[in-house]
Amino acid sequence: MRVVLLLLFVFTLQGSRLLAQNNTPQFYLYEDSSSRYNAQQIAELYRKHSIKQAPAKGKNISFTRSVYWLVYENPSARPADSMLLYIGHHHINRIHFYFVTDSSIQKQWVTGDYYPFRQRPIEATGFYFPINRKGIYLAEIDKRNESLQLSYRLTDIKQALQEESRTKTVLFLFTGMLLLLVIFGLYLFIIEKDRLYLYYILYITAGWLWVLSNAGYGFEYLWPNLPWFASKARPVFVLIPLIFASIFLVRYIGGVKNRIHLNALKFMNGLLVGCVILILCLDDQNQLNDWWLYSQYMLPILPLLYVIVFFVILTIASFRGNKLAAFYLVAQLILLVSAVLQISFSLGSLNRFDYFFSHYGLAFGYVVETIILTIGLVYRFNRYRLDKEALLITLNQQQKENTKVLMQVQQEERGRIASQLHDVVGSLLSGVKFNLASIREKQVFLQQDVSNQFEKTEEAVGIVSGMVRSLSHALSPVMLTQVGFRSALDKLVSIFNASGRIHIQVEVIGFDTYQPRLEQYYLTLYSIVYELLNNIAKHSEATHALLQVSEYEDVFTIVAEDNGVGFTDKPAAGEGIGMAGIRSKVTYYGGAMAIDSDKDQGLIITIEIPIVYDKEQDHTG
């Protein structure tokens, strides 16, 4: 009994296998190397069993000069649009689809990359043909002088649309990621005004167009009404990204020092531009010539040469410590894996069609490469920003040192001039005055009118001597340490008021005691006040002015206000050497300066200078 049951099980299992084999659709494939057969002749060959059965999943034909005929005999009628015959891949130039009955042959569809996208039976990336009548279906597949990877299967329309939707969703997700990276590159370009980011945008955009055209979505969405371009899109967008990649590479890694490498890149760029122009100028008939087939064989060589040159340049730069070159090298390695698989797929080295690479591999590799390059750009942006900040800090320190030296030299020069005026000129004038007084006292030798002239001359010399003494004190407050800042300032203001052309009112807040550690601040404040009053007296045409100098715990303030003409132009344009010197001093001490000017309504200048006790920025002497 057990033996009978076992035999029944074996026969049942064998019968189910036979049934499954009988239910598997049978496809037949015929190679027409002469390209002269028509649908009637192929149907006769099929009926005579002269056409061999095709491999179950497809055939990787690679580069070919032949036309191929795919034959499928539908055993029974089906509901309309319930079953579809899929013929791949996405880049077949011509497909003529026929239905054969015992009495006639009907051409149902003419489609392919040489025809507008709307001529496809189902508006999808792949080629889907409705199979609903009982009979023989023929597909004339023409991809002469190009690489052909042929696949075929039966599928219902719901399953086909779901697969198309799933593939499109993933690629559109990748497209969205690339779009964000493009926007980021545009943002960097707007900020930095560096053409590197523009080349980056052009490179990843052209490269992604290669991915989309390779997957068939370029023809579906970008150029559906340009069939002349559909078959050329893939070779064009293989070459164009290489042009932008080389330009981007040179700027990305900071230049190519080796003259041979640089000339090689320029030569290949010129060669690529010529190839792109030649491809775009070809028509359909030119693509049927033998030289087009040979050019298809040669097309992978140009990217291969670029890969070699790129890797030599990037490897050398990486070993020399160029981190950006290392970023680029890793990115190119990832893309190279996808490119090698793609080339192997085109040349027939791979015979599988149902794996991740055929759908998303190249797109995934390109997105990863772009992300790595973007990380490199961020690193470059941050490094340059830090370098700029360090340079600005260095320049600021140098400017402070220069200002400090200038202030010291200026103070020393003023002190020297003041000393010469006070000690030499003042002494000489005093001697002259003394001699004149002696002569005037001996009136016995002088007439009355001469005596009066001597008296007036003595008086004038006295006035000049006083002015020289006052001027020397204005240039260098030699009595600052003795009389204090407040008294020195009052004396300075009195000198300007002595002219009688302007009245300057001074208000001093603080400065009750002289602090030796603030001596540098006092000298600077004194020189700033002198320049402000000098500008008011010379240029403002004012009759009244107010000067307020205040000392607080952590800041000095100076406010100078007059009723003069103000600036006749923008303040920055109206500044002279004096105002520039004031700004330089204020900047050196980390202070702030504000100018409020209305034409013909006077001028208000406000200055704040903080008191810094930090050891690294100590201005307290």
Side-chain angles (χ1 to χ4, degrees), residues 416-442:
R416 188 182 65 82
I417 296 174
S419 179
Q420 292 291 327
L421 289 174
H422 186 274
D423 298 338
V424 179
V425 179
S427 298
L428 291 176
L429 289 174
S430 297
V432 171
K433 181 180 178 183
F434 177 77
N435 290 332
L436 288 174
S438 298
I439 295 173
R440 182 173 54 81
E441 291 175 357
K442 300 176 180 179

Side-chain angles (χ1 to χ4, degrees), residues 335-345 350 357:
L335 183 61
L336 179 63
V337 173
S338 299
V340 169
L341 290 175
Q342 181 65 36
I343 293 173
S344 300
F345 187 77
L350 300 176
F357 170 74

Side-chain angles (χ1 to χ4, degrees), residues 147-326:
S147 178
L148 174 61
Q149 296 81 41
L150 186 60
S151 61
Y152 33 80
R153 68 178 186 273
L154 291 181
T155 179
D156 63 78
I157 188 169
K158 181 179 179 181
Q159 180 181 357
L161 294 178
Q162 286 178 347
E163 182 179 354
E164 287 276 329
S165 177
R166 182 169 56 252
T167 305
K168 289 178 180 179
T169 299
V170 175
L171 282 177
F172 288 166
L173 177 63
F174 286 152
T175 303
M177 295 173 62
L178 263 296
L179 182 60
L180 291 177
L181 295 177
V182 168
I183 295 174
F184 178 71
L186 184 61
Y187 167 75
L188 293 179
F189 175 70
I190 294 174
I191 291 179
E192 291 292 306
K193 301 295 188 299
D194 190 342
R195 286 182 295 176
L196 166 71
Y197 303 108
L198 182 61
Y199 296 141
Y200 163 79
I201 294 172
L202 294 173
Y203 168 56
I204 64 175
T205 301
W208 192 246
L209 287 175
W210 168 47
V211 173
L212 293 180
S213 62
N214 188 68
Y217 296 106
F219 190 30
E220 182 174 359
Y221 293 104
L222 301 179
W223 47 83
N225 298 317
L226 299 176
W228 67 271
F229 182 67
S231 61
K232 304 172 185 177
R234 286 199 303 164
V236 165
F237 287 121
V238 165
L239 302 180
I240 290 180
L242 296 177
I243 300 173
F244 292 127
S246 63
I247 301 174
F248 174 69
L249 167 70
V250 174
R251 297 184 69 94
Y252 185 74
I253 66 175
V256 177
K257 308 300 182 184
N258 190 301
R259 179 64 59 179
I260 297 177
H261 296 164
L262 189 60
N263 290 336
L265 289 176
K266 291 180 179 179
F267 172 76
M268 286 191 292
N269 276 348
L271 184 61
L272 289 178
V273 171
C275 291
V276 170
I277 295 174
L278 183 61
I279 292 171
L280 293 175
C281 291
L282 290 174
D283 56 26
D284 296 348
Q285 291 303 120
N286 293 130
Q287 292 179 232
L288 296 178
N289 294 331
D290 290 342
W291 70 269
W292 175 253
L293 175 64
Y294 298 139
S295 66
Q296 293 291 304
Y297 278 107
M298 298 295 292
L299 187 61
I301 295 179
L302 286 177
L304 181 61
L305 290 176
Y306 254 92
V307 167
I308 294 173
V309 175
F310 272 35
F311 271 80
V312 169
I313 295 174
L314 293 173
T315 303
I316 294 175
S318 298
F319 276 112
R320 291 177 177 175
N322 191 322
K323 293 184 179 181
L324 291 172

Side-chain angles (χ1 to χ4, degrees), residues 339-610:
V340 169
L341 290 175
Q342 181 65 36
I343 293 173
S344 300
F345 187 77
S346 299
L347 295 176
S349 301
L350 300 176
N351 293 313
R352 294 184 60 190
F353 298 90
D354 53 348
Y355 52 92
F356 178 82
F357 170 74
S358 63
H359 291 89
Y360 316 117
L362 190 57
F364 176 78
Y366 194 78
V367 169
V368 173
E369 184 219 19
T370 306
I371 291 174
I372 294 175
L373 289 180
T374 305
I375 294 174
L377 285 177
V378 173
Y379 167 78
R380 179 183 183 274
F381 178 80
N382 288 332
R383 191 190 71 181
Y384 282 11
R385 180 178 57 83
L386 293 175
D387 290 346
K388 286 182 179 179
E389 290 179 356
L391 179 61
L392 289 175
I393 292 174
T394 302
L395 292 176
N396 189 33
Q397 292 293 338
Q398 291 179 351
Q399 183 178 8
K400 286 185 176 181
E401 290 297 325
N402 293 338
T403 303
K404 183 177 181 180
V405 171
L406 179 63
M407 290 170 58
Q408 291 176 349
V409 171
Q410 186 182 49
Q411 191 63 37
E412 291 174 359
E413 185 66 17
R414 283 185 172 182
R416 188 182 65 82
I417 296 174
S419 179
Q420 292 291 327
L421 289 174
H422 186 274
D423 298 338
V424 179
V425 179
S427 298
L428 291 176
L429 289 174
S430 297
V432 171
K433 181 180 178 183
F434 177 77
N435 290 332
L436 288 174
S438 298
I439 295 173
R440 182 173 54 81
E441 291 175 357
K442 300 176 180 179
Q443 297 183 5
V444 293
F445 300 104
L446 298 176
Q447 299 178 2
Q448 184 62 36
D449 56 345
V450 176
S451 178
N452 292 336
Q453 290 179 3
F454 266 82
E455 184 178 356
K456 292 180 180 179
T457 303
E458 179 184 357
E459 183 180 355
V461 170
I463 294 173
V464 172
S465 178
M467 292 179 64
V468 168
R469 186 168 54 255
S470 298
L471 180 59
S472 67
H473 290 166
L475 288 173
S476 180
V478 293
M479 300 297 292
L480 190 62
T481 56
Q482 285 80 8
V483 302
F485 182 81
R486 181 192 294 268
S487 298
L489 202 61
D490 289 337
K491 187 172 183 61
L492 177 64
V493 172
S494 66
I495 294 173
F496 285 94
N497 285 334
S499 66
R501 294 182 302 173
I502 185 173
H503 175 70
I504 301 174
Q505 180 183 351
V506 61
E507 294 181 3
V508 181
I509 301 174
F511 301 99
D512 296 325
T513 59
Y514 182 86
Q515 302 184 50
R517 64 174 181 170
L518 298 180
E519 182 176 357
Q520 292 299 322
Y521 281 105
Y522 295 149
L523 292 173
T524 301
L525 292 173
Y526 189 90
S527 64
I528 290 175
V529 168
Y530 176 78
E531 293 292 349
L532 289 174
L533 296 180
N534 192 46
N535 279 343
I536 293 174
K538 286 184 177 180
H539 307 296
S540 70
E541 301 180 15
T543 57
H544 291 83
L546 172 64
L547 174 68
Q548 184 183 70
V549 184
S550 305
E551 178 188 31
Y552 299 101
E553 184 178 354
D554 57 351
V555 68
F556 293 108
T557 64
I558 300 174
V559 178
E561 181 178 359
D562 65 70
N563 64 345
V565 296
F567 280 128
T568 57
D569 201 347
K570 293 182 179 180
E575 289 182 1
I577 297 177
M579 291 298 293
I582 293 174
R583 283 190 182 275
S584 178
K585 292 182 178 68
V586 173
T587 302
Y588 171 74
Y589 283 96
M593 178 176 176
I595 299 177
D596 184 11
S597 173
D598 289 326
K599 187 176 180 181
D600 300 328
Q601 294 185 14
L603 179 70
I604 301 176
I605 298 178
T606 305
I607 296 173
E608 289 187 356
I609 296 179

